[in-house]
Amino acid sequence: MEPALSQIVERIRAAAADATALRIRGGGTKDFYGEPPQGEALSTAGLTGITSYEPSELVVTARAGTPLAELEAALAGKGQCLSFEPPHFGAAGGAGTVGGMVAAGLSGPARASVGAVRDYVLGATLVNGRGEVLGFGGQVMKNVAGYDVSRVLAGSLGTLGVIAEVSLKVLPVAPAEATLAFSCSQVDALRLLNEWGGRPLPLNASCWFEDARSGTLWLRLRGAAAAVEAACAQLGGERVDNAAAAAGWQSLRDQQHPWFTADDAGAALWRLSVPQTAPVLALGKGDAPLIEWHGGQRWYKAPPEQASLIREAAHAAGGHATLFRMPPASAAAASAGARRFDALSAPVARIHHALMREFDPHGLFDRARLLADA
């Protein structure tokens, strides 16, 4: 066992012996996500490096503390990528880690077309709450032994254990790409996205928002050059320069886009996950949302005190709402009692608690990060 992993194992065993609560931390770029972190920090910074990469097999294995930017650079050198476009959120986009990417389970603009983080996890090594090193899944795409166990780590926010290493499916970079812009209202944008979704088009990502002038729908196409060019000819719109478009999609991925960075005093950032066919949501007057994932992900800015209104609107549309980021006055917002995640149904909550007890019987890891009532 390598020294960095041995240190983590010993730290967990010592914490179990003296009942010390731990919170797992990689680059810290997603500390804002979920309920406020609790417990002593357990860093994965020592677990670095790409341990295996087989470009011809479309599989890469990396330790949890490996910088996400380092992994993406290695893949780009072979013309490959993480097609789900994980957000970085860090300063200059360089502080996020591979383990944090999986633990947060967040995906970027292409998620609706290519799948989520969990769809690309082939295997993982985990240190559980007993200090045991466990392996799940494998390094080939057809391996199903323990496959679901490794996938359940995606979005677990460190509540099940320390992700020490992870194997991921990667894909070749698309041979062609184009971004089209359409001036339209929110209603028309949703109608167009639903219409295009039923046609054989190389849709990859979409985004609608309002600026000072009007609403604009941005559509990214990726695939074979002939398919992309044919789609551009069919759809029309204004074709955007590829370099400018790439910068825009990256700013969207990392929430550095002007819609996200605009100063909205007292407003929290809400993420609503709804069916792509959901109509414009009835949230009363206020700023228009930013819509991604062909209508399936809708961002709103509103005070935490409006949690009931927002969650009711999401539920009425067949989805759910997440209080993604607190406003700057986070202490005041926290005292308002707004939960970050929707309350789980009783059957789902039982499954969550059973998994946590199995992987972390001593309750060392920060369960409240994911379940406010844990």
Side-chain angles (χ1 to χ4, degrees):
M1 188 183 303
E2 63 176 287
L5 184 57
S6 295
Q7 290 176 8
I8 287 176
V9 168
E10 292 306 315
R11 177 77 184 282
I12 290 173
R13 290 175 178 172
D18 59 18
T20 300
L22 300 173
R23 59 182 178 93
I24 304 164
R25 193 173 191 269
T29 60
K30 302 173 187 70
D31 282 351
F32 68 87
Y33 184 56
E35 301 295 339
Q38 301 176 28
E40 293 185 7
L42 175 58
S43 175
T44 63
L47 296 173
T48 59
I50 297 172
T51 57
S52 174
Y53 180 26
E54 298 293 339
S56 62
E57 299 296 330
L58 301 178
V59 174
V60 66
T61 301
R63 296 188 181 97
T66 305
L68 183 53
E70 178 182 319
L71 174 60
E72 290 181 328
L75 298 178
K78 297 295 184 179
Q80 297 180 343
C81 66
L82 299 172
S83 58
F84 53 89
E85 299 181 296
H88 288 230
F89 293 145
T97 63
V98 172
M101 171 190 76
V102 175
L106 300 175
S107 303
R111 186 257 184 269
S113 297
V114 304
V117 178
R118 71 179 71 249
D119 300 315
Y120 291 80
V121 176
L122 299 176
T125 300
L126 179 79
V127 185
N128 68 8
R130 299 183 181 89
E132 300 168 335
V133 180
L134 309 176
F136 304 103
Q139 294 180 310
V140 294
M141 283 181 276
K142 293 184 179 180
N143 188 319
V144 296
Y147 189 56
D148 286 340
V149 176
S150 57
R151 283 167 51 134
V152 82
L153 297 177
S156 63
L157 288 180
T159 59
L160 302 179
V162 178
I163 300 172
E165 189 174 75
V166 63
S167 295
L168 300 163
K169 177 174 70 175
V170 300
L171 291 178
V173 173
E177 176 179 313
T179 294
L180 304 175
F182 304 82
S183 180
C184 61
S185 67
Q186 183 182 173
V187 171
D188 286 339
L190 293 173
R191 176 183 58 79
L192 287 170
L193 289 169
N194 287 323
E195 176 189 325
W196 294 336
R199 295 164 58 183
L201 297 167
L203 305 180
N204 178 261
S206 61
C207 170
W208 179 90
F209 63 93
E210 283 186 349
D211 57 20
R213 297 170 297 172
S214 62
T216 304
L217 171 63
W218 303 84
L219 186 71
R220 187 171 66 191
L221 307 167
R222 278 182 176 171
V228 169
E229 292 304 320
C232 288
Q234 292 178 42
L235 298 175
E238 177 186 350
R239 191 157 180 171
V240 182
D241 173 74
N242 274 0
W249 291 110
Q250 181 174 319
S251 73
L252 185 68
R253 179 198 73 182
D254 294 338
Q255 294 189 351
Q256 294 302 309
H257 186 281
W259 189 92
F260 289 103
T261 59
D263 186 16
D264 294 278
L269 179 64
W270 291 86
R271 181 182 68 185
L272 277 63
S273 299
V274 298
Q276 293 178 353
T277 54
V280 174
L281 301 185
L283 284 173
K285 296 181 179 180
D287 294 336
L290 184 146
I291 300 175
E292 292 188 89
W293 298 2
H294 311 330
Q297 178 166 263
R298 307 187 189 185
W299 299 96
Y300 288 84
K301 293 179 180 178
E305 293 78 9
Q306 293 185 13
S308 295
L309 171 66
I310 292 171
R311 291 199 156 107
E312 286 171 7
H315 297 165
H320 63 273
T322 299
L323 204 174
F324 197 77
R325 287 183 189 263
M326 285 288 193
S330 56
S335 67
R339 305 173 56 119
R340 304 300 178 96
F341 302 111
D342 272 3
L344 300 175
S345 66
V348 174
R350 283 197 295 271
I351 293 171
H352 274 261
H353 285 290
L355 281 170
M356 290 176 181
R357 287 194 300 270
E358 181 63 30
F359 283 93
D360 179 24
H362 305 296
L364 301 181
F365 303 123
D366 187 7
R367 297 179 182 180
R369 181 84 181 271
L370 186 63
L371 303 178
D373 55 356

